[in-house]
Amino acid sequence: MIRARTFTDARQQSHNNAELNWWIFMRVSGLILMFLILGHVYMTFIQVSESDATFDAVVNKLANPAWKFYDWLILSLSLLHGANGARYSIEDYVRSRPNRAWVKGIFYTVVALLFAFGTVGLFAI
Amino acid sequence: MYRGREGQWAFLLHRLSGLAILAYLLLHVFSIGSFIFGERFYMTIHERYDLWPFRVGLLFVVAGVVYHSFNGLRIIVMDFTGAGVAYQRQMWYVVLLLSVLAFVGSAVSLYPRLVGGY
């Protein structure tokens, strides 16, 4: 994990390219997600109520390929961003190496299954 | 626990809000994605969300997302500009103010839904 205040520090601290790439990914995906998710929250929570999130509404919305792509972009970026953020937390707080291995193993499996589930849901309909 | 200044609290809140949003996201992907199991399965889950803890909880989701995104912007500004680090405390108070406004704003505009149900 990188603890850096500037990009130059981050580059010096990273032990390998993957770690530096994740550091950059968090900033870039975060910026993109900000627009995608604030728009999503506004359209699906502020503008309409939870009672409008009916089965038919979801199916109708997903009939449009543009919304499929929008939702899939949120799904993949947010799961990657969230999984990497959780990885930082796990590496900070789960101190023993064997515990860390199985905590990460279970966590990554859940995220991967959910990503597959969400993708199938979006494109199978 | 180490009690530092604003930067430490900003870090802690960013991490907590991030983990909370992740927990919400995992549940959200499952419950919305469950529409592939058919309408009955989907509605069985979604009728539960009319319970008041879920209705109020959505306000915290909004405030958490706003905090996490604007504090994320603050982090990006700090990381990529030299001047950003000098103003990180002031920027954090702006982020906090925006999150409180988002919480209060959505509580006010959604008040009828919160007390009356969806």
Side-chain angles (χ1 to χ4, degrees), chain B residues 4-18 67-68 71-72 74-75 78 88-89 91-93 95-96:
Chain B
R5 296 199 60 185
E6 286 87 345
Q8 179 70 17
W9 292 109
F11 168 82
L12 189 66
L13 258 183
H14 195 75
R15 197 159 253 198
L16 287 176
S17 63
Y67 176 80
H68 198 82
N71 193 51
R74 170 180 161 273
I75 292 174
M78 274 161 55
Q88 58 94 5
R89 279 201 297 137
M91 285 194 291
W92 188 58
Y93 284 113
V95 169
L96 267 190

Side-chain angles (χ1 to χ4, degrees), chain B residues 72-101:
Chain B
L73 271 190
R74 170 180 161 273
I75 292 174
I76 293 174
V77 171
M78 274 161 55
D79 284 341
F80 294 102
T81 71
V85 179
Y87 292 102
Q88 58 94 5
R89 279 201 297 137
Q90 288 86 334
M91 285 194 291
W92 188 58
Y93 284 113
V94 174
V95 169
L96 267 190
L97 182 73
L98 285 173
S99 324
V100 172
L101 283 179

Side-chain angles (χ1 to χ4, degrees), chain A residues 6-56:
Chain A
T6 64
F7 179 67
T8 325
D9 289 352
R11 197 161 46 195
Q12 279 165 358
Q13 277 186 34
S14 57
H15 301 292
N16 51 43
N17 273 333
E19 201 59 74
L20 183 63
N21 288 337
W22 278 117
W23 190 89
I24 297 166
F25 171 79
M26 289 307 264
R27 271 88 193 147
V28 175
S29 65
L31 197 59
I32 300 170
L33 278 170
M34 195 183 112
F35 293 100
L36 291 178
I37 296 214
L38 290 181
H40 178 75
V41 168
Y42 181 75
M43 283 183 288
T44 57
F45 176 54
I46 309 285
Q47 209 175 39
V48 300
S49 87
E50 181 73 19
S51 67
D52 296 327
T54 55
F55 180 80
D56 294 330

